[in-house]
Structure formats: C-alpha cells, structure tokens
Amino acid sequence: MDPDEVLTLFDRRLRQEARPDGPGRRIERAGGVVRQTGPSHGWNGVLWSDLDEEGADAAIAGQVRHFGALGLAFEWKLYAHDRPADLGDRLLAAGFTAGPEETVMVAEAATIAAAPLALPEGVRLAPVTTADGVDLMAGVHERAFGTDDGDPLRRHLLDGLADGTLNAVLALAGDVPVSAARMDLYPGTGFAGLWGGGTVPGRRGRGLYRALVAWRAREAVARGYSYLQVDASSQSRPILERLGFTPLTTTTPYTHS
C-alpha cells in the first residue's frame, strides 16, 4: 500500500466526493467548501476545503452564517495537509474550539481480516441488528468513555441500521455487554470507517479491542470493501500500528456552537 496514493484516494472519495452519511442529510458545495448539513443529532460540518489565503476568512465566515442560521453546532474537520497552512489559527480566531488531534490510519481490509480473532474465555461476539442492541451498545459507550451522549448516539446508530450503512458488534461476557464497536460503510468508495471501539473498565487489556477490529475487517471484506480507515487517538494508534495500520495524516476537529 502506497500511503500517498491512498491519502489522495481518501481525500477524493471521502471528502471531495462525500455522500450523506444518513437520512435527512445533504452534501453541499459552496465557495471551495464541501459540507454536510442535516439533523441536530447527526454530524454537521465541513469535510473538505480548497482555500487560499485571500479567501479563507470569507469562507469560514460563510460557514458560520450557514450553520448559525439553522441553529446548528458544527465541526470543521481540518487535516494537516489542508491549506492555507494557518487555517487552524484562522478557525480559532473565528470562534472555533480545537479538539484533540487524531491520526488518520488506513489498512487493507483483507490483511487485517486474515489475523486471528482471539477472544477471552467466556466472551462471545454478537452483531447489533435491533434497537435493543443499539441501547446496549450506547450503554457500553457511556461506560467506556465516561460520556453522556446516549440519545444522539442512539439516533445515529438507528439511522445507520435503517439505511444499511452501519455494521456494529457487541462483546458479551455471558449476557453482560463489556465492549462494543461499529463500522460505518461508505458505499462506492472502497472505504469503511472504524468508530467507537471501547471496553468497559475492568475488561481492558485482554484483547477485546483487537478482536473487534478483526471482526469488522472480516465484515468489510465480505461486503467488498478494500480499506479500513480510523481516526485514531493517541491510545489506540500504537495498537493499530501493531495490527498493520499505516498513518496517513492527522486531523483535528474545530467546533463552533
């Protein structure tokens, strides 16, 4: 896998030529910016921009006006190779708040799928296919990450189940959910995104994260996807590198509300 070639493909298929990620969303192209606009519980924001120093501030102001008129908080998803080079500083000056930097990592799905899928004794995997499964998955997410965003997450997961772009899995110790993860499918792109892999306290360090990556890789291959993509935190990046993922660039979320 040539990282430069894959990054070019990633930029084109998932950013420049982005498709809506669920019902009620739309992709719009305006003034050098590709954005998604949709319901408040979904992801709203800028996926791609092609700006220069002269026009960047006006483009930023245009997005603030657009989402502000709709009463929507939004995110400008900035990548390290985006231009102009000071775009992050311009976003901060316009009232955005920067989140933690993550590493965009990609692997060939078939390579990851070929790895053994080892589970701790007494743990089994169960696909999430119903609203009850979504509730269990959201509960794991809240315990694993210490967040309280259950309702928006549930609605996003239900949207993905409804339109067939969500592939999610629970790890159960007996009947108790202890880990969960999802894969968002991007039809026609060759890419599937791995998101939300989390394990509850007391069950970490036993290989569940790796097992859920392997399970999703096998599902991706079965559905004809070539690449797995992850926005990796500093904690997950070392694990993913050992599994065979390659860093392509970094990304930072800039939020405006």
Side-chain angles (χ1 to χ4, degrees):
M1 185 179 74
D2 184 311
D4 291 335
E5 289 183 0
V6 176
L7 179 58
T8 298
L9 193 66
F10 171 85
D11 277 343
R12 186 174 77 248
R13 292 186 177 175
L14 293 186
R15 302 181 66 204
Q16 293 171 273
E17 301 172 357
R19 304 178 184 187
D21 69 0
R25 285 86 160 170
R26 62 185 183 274
I27 297 295
E28 302 163 319
R29 293 166 175 82
V33 165
V34 177
R35 68 189 178 216
Q36 176 169 282
T37 304
S40 59
H41 70 271
W43 186 89
N44 289 281
V46 174
L47 293 154
W48 165 264
S49 63
D50 183 16
L51 306 174
D52 56 28
E53 293 180 355
E54 288 73 24
D57 291 336
I60 292 169
Q63 301 316 304
V64 171
R65 288 194 300 271
H66 168 76
F67 287 103
L70 298 171
L72 294 171
F74 74 104
E75 176 183 315
W76 191 301
K77 195 162 175 58
L78 180 67
Y79 292 78
H81 56 290
D82 289 346
R83 295 292 177 266
D86 64 348
L87 185 53
D89 292 336
R90 293 170 185 261
L91 291 168
L92 293 174
F96 288 74
T97 300
E101 181 183 86
E102 296 177 312
T103 302
V104 179
M105 307 186 75
V106 171
E108 292 179 335
T111 299
I112 306 303
L117 199 165
L119 289 168
E121 184 176 355
V123 175
R124 60 187 173 90
L125 300 184
V128 174
T129 59
T130 66
D132 288 342
V134 164
D135 287 342
L136 293 175
M137 187 175 180
V140 170
H141 188 279
E142 291 167 8
R143 293 169 60 198
F145 297 106
T147 59
D148 188 20
D149 56 355
D151 184 59
L153 177 62
R154 284 177 174 86
R155 294 176 70 182
H156 176 76
L157 297 174
L158 289 170
D159 284 348
L161 281 182
D163 68 11
T165 60
L166 174 73
N167 193 278
V169 61
L170 285 164
L172 303 168
D175 293 324
V176 179
V178 295
S179 189
R182 79 177 196 267
M183 178 168 64
D184 289 348
L185 304 173
Y186 310 122
T189 68
F191 287 87
L194 305 189
W195 301 93
T199 301
V200 302
R203 293 283 182 168
R204 295 168 181 163
R206 305 182 189 185
L208 284 172
Y209 182 90
R210 294 191 299 274
L212 296 187
V213 169
W215 187 90
R216 287 176 288 172
R218 295 177 183 187
E219 292 291 310
V221 170
R223 287 160 174 74
Y225 287 83
S226 300
Y227 297 106
L228 303 174
Q229 176 263 323
V230 185
D231 289 353
S233 68
S234 57
Q235 291 78 24
S236 56
R237 173 174 173 165
I239 302 172
L240 292 165
E241 284 187 305
R242 289 194 294 271
L243 292 177
F245 283 75
T246 299
L248 299 185
T249 185
T250 60
T251 183
T252 302
Y254 285 79
T255 57
H256 194 285
S257 58

